[in-house]
Amino acid sequence: MRWRQSRFPRLAGRRCRQADEVRLRSYARAWKDVGMTALLLRDLKLSVRAGGGAMIGVLFFMTVVAVIPFGVGPDLNLLARIGPAILWIGALLAALLGLDRLFQAEREDGSLDLLLMQETPLVLTVLVKCLAHWLATGLPLVLASPLLSLFMNMDVSAIGATMLTLLVGTPAITFIGAAGAAIAVALPRGGLLVSILVLPLAIPVLIFGVSAVYAAIQEPAPFLPPFLFLTALTLVFAVIGPVAAAAALRASTD
Amino acid sequence: MRLVAEGLSAKRGEDLIFRDVSFDIGAGEALVVKGPNGSGKSTLLRVVADLLPRESGKIRLAGGETQGFDSVAGACHYLGHRNAMKRELTVEENLRFWKAFFGDSRGGTGVAIDEAADAVGLGGILHLPFGYLSAGQQRRMAMAKLLVAWRPVWILDEPTAALDASAEAMFAGLVKAHLSRGGLALAATHQPLGLGAVSELQMGGFAAIFAEAWV
């Protein structure tokens, strides 16, 4: 067990500083390394090959948003008013859709063992996998949102604000979703569990995302405070998510 | 370099799978772990690779050339039951990824991808998706993964399970070449690996511990 403990920083004394230095150096080495680029490219390739599921999220997003006008009816003012919220809810659910496969696919073919064994910090490996996942599934949602905004009769400023908030907010869903995916990695049907685990943590992202859009299109409310909160949430989850996911992956080996 | 284990024991659930396992493998040596099914061979290998927590004991690298290794696992290649290759990617993409991701450990360099494929006897099929290969070919390509990046320690769990006789001989050659470069190997197997005279570790498993406790 000594091994395991030595991965975490000791709290006091010179050994702490030495350990931190060693860790920082290994982070820097890994970053310069071609290994992380290779991982990013591999995950991107996998996501566009058969069964990769990069398009599944966009299709789901499109389906959710496209059926709303049929359900709500042809009230254009109502559609414009609820549009940003509908887009955000659709994007949130679509972003959660493929998350459970993030580590499960690696575990099923044995790659996870090899990812865990390397001297490259596992947190960095997880972070790069998150980035690849966001590029493959989150970014397409952002790019599809202006088109889908037209379904909801939104004007130009609302479309711009929705796109900007989705761009800033969806990485947070991926990062915190990675932690959920790592916890559920060993479960055979972890898909729904991941969504249930992650959804409460993703609610603040939804709240600040939607309120930033409404602040941008409605006169008295200032846009910047909710938008900065959204940015802060993404940054916090970018730290917490990979650390929690790495810890969960270490604990899940069997 | 030597790989030293002292008094290892590991649990699966509440039960001790093995107890007080010690070994010392020197450079150029191989240790073959033997025992019936369920005797804890795979568990021992996964404990050495730091993929399972151990109950007690120590694993360490000793001797020269151990600088540059932060952990034992970082000095190891692990060939488990699963091949750790993506079915959707071509063989070349798989090997290229692992070569870049592993990087070479201190003290050696891996061979190029086509050389590694030639070494396992499958030179011409690098362009095929990994999922198109037969089980035996997939296993061979998983072995090529050991060659593309240098690691001093090879941990092999039933490496030749799906292979024909000629592939077994080929694999024995690979392991011998690795040992002659100063590498170490720790293998669990039922079949003879064809390595000549190597030291063996006999595992008794849960039943043996249980019997010992009752005597």
Side-chain angles (χ1 to χ4, degrees):
Chain A
M1 285 316 282
R2 205 169 56 85
W3 218 254
R4 236 146 242 280
Q5 281 160 7
S6 71
R7 287 213 179 88
F8 298 101
R10 290 178 191 84
L11 288 174
R14 237 182 85 206
R15 297 188 69 185
C16 168
R17 257 169 275 143
Q18 272 178 352
D20 283 349
E21 258 173 49
V22 168
R23 193 171 306 108
L24 280 177
R25 227 178 299 138
S26 72
Y27 276 75
R29 200 184 339 154
W31 202 237
K32 268 183 275 174
D33 223 20
V34 287
M36 287 298 128
T37 321
L39 181 64
L40 185 75
L41 290 178
R42 179 191 76 149
D43 276 19
L44 287 176
K45 259 185 218 161
L46 280 172
S47 65
V48 294
R49 296 275 162 94
M55 293 310 290
I56 299 290
V58 184
L59 288 176
F60 180 77
F61 186 33
M62 216 177 77
T63 319
V64 169
V65 177
V67 297
I68 296 289
F70 294 104
V72 170
D75 182 344
L76 290 179
N77 290 331
L78 179 64
L79 281 179
R81 208 160 64 241
I82 62 171
I86 297 294
L87 278 170
W88 251 96
I89 292 168
L92 173 68
L93 295 178
L96 290 176
L97 198 62
L99 267 172
D100 60 311
R101 296 295 296 165
L102 187 57
F103 301 113
Q104 217 173 40
E106 302 283 355
R107 186 177 182 276
E108 277 165 12
D109 65 15
S111 301
L112 185 61
D113 290 339
L114 305 186
L115 298 181
L116 287 169
M117 280 173 66
Q118 304 312 309
E119 290 188 338
T120 318
L122 184 59
V123 176
L124 202 59
T125 307
V126 172
L127 183 69
V128 170
K129 280 191 72 67
C130 289
L131 287 178
H133 186 268
W134 181 77
L135 286 175
T137 64
L139 194 57
L141 299 181
V142 178
L143 297 179
S145 62
L147 181 68
L148 295 176
S149 301
L150 297 177
F151 280 95
M152 303 304 291
N153 189 37
M154 286 156 63
D155 61 22
V156 177
S157 64
I159 292 174
T162 305
M163 206 175 164
L164 183 64
T165 51
L166 282 177
L167 181 70
V168 172
T170 44
I173 300 167
T174 304
F175 287 129
I176 204 64
I183 289 166
V185 67
L187 302 173
R189 284 178 202 278
L192 187 62
L193 183 69
V194 173
S195 303
I196 291 170
L197 279 175
V198 168
L199 207 54
L201 293 163
I203 292 294
V205 181
L206 180 68
I207 291 174
F208 285 107
V210 173
S211 57
V213 179
Y214 281 122
I217 55 179
Q218 287 167 359
E219 209 33 71
F223 169 71
L224 219 47
F227 183 72
L228 289 180
F229 256 106
L230 185 67
T231 318
L233 277 172
T234 299
L235 293 176
V236 167
F237 282 153
V239 176
I240 294 176
V243 170
L249 287 176
R250 287 241 179 259
S252 76
T253 52
D254 61 347
Chain B
M1 180 188 289
R2 299 197 340 267
L3 177 66
V4 184
E6 290 160 357
L8 286 183
S9 59
K11 272 185 178 174
R12 270 292 161 94
E14 291 297 307
D15 302 318
L16 273 177
I17 294 290
F18 55 82
R19 198 170 64 183
D20 272 344
V21 173
S22 302
F23 56 79
D24 185 342
I25 313 173
E29 290 175 10
L31 177 69
V32 174
V33 184
K34 295 207 158 179
N37 291 122
S39 60
K41 301 188 295 294
S42 293
T43 307
L44 173 66
L45 262 48
R46 290 184 70 83
V47 166
V48 173
D50 201 19
L51 293 169
L52 281 178
R54 54 186 179 279
E55 194 61 26
S56 65
K58 274 184 192 171
I59 308 160
R60 61 191 169 87
L61 297 169
E65 302 163 22
T66 53
Q67 289 85 25
F69 294 110
D70 298 336
S71 63
V72 173
C76 297
H77 263 313
Y78 175 75
L79 181 63
H81 293 275
R82 288 167 294 189
N83 291 324
M85 306 277 260
K86 295 289 175 196
R87 301 177 56 83
E88 299 87 356
L89 300 180
T90 67
V91 176
E92 185 177 2
E93 285 169 330
N94 269 302
L95 290 176
R96 197 171 294 287
F97 162 68
W98 283 121
K99 186 176 175 61
F101 189 76
F102 284 143
D104 286 317
S105 288
R106 177 179 291 225
T109 48
V111 303
I113 287 157
D114 42 354
E115 275 178 59
D118 284 337
V120 295
L122 295 175
I125 56 170
L126 278 171
H127 60 285
L128 288 180
F130 186 72
Y132 286 10
L133 307 189
S134 76
Q137 287 176 321
Q138 291 188 343
R139 196 66 182 155
R140 287 183 185 216
M141 281 304 180
M143 288 168 176
K145 201 169 73 241
L146 304 175
L147 304 175
V148 294
W150 167 257
R151 290 281 186 280
V153 183
W154 284 11
I155 298 177
L156 311 165
D157 196 357
E158 302 280 1
T160 54
L163 295 181
D164 56 25
S166 69
E168 280 178 25
M170 175 275 296
F171 186 62
L174 294 183
V175 177
K176 275 182 189 157
H178 175 65
L179 298 181
S180 69
R181 288 170 75 188
L184 288 65
L186 175 63
T189 180
H190 293 291
Q191 293 116 327
L193 278 180
L195 295 175
V198 290
S199 30
E200 282 186 11
L201 178 69
Q202 191 69 38
M203 302 288 285
F206 170 63
I209 292 173
F210 207 59
E212 206 178 293
W214 278 94
V215 167

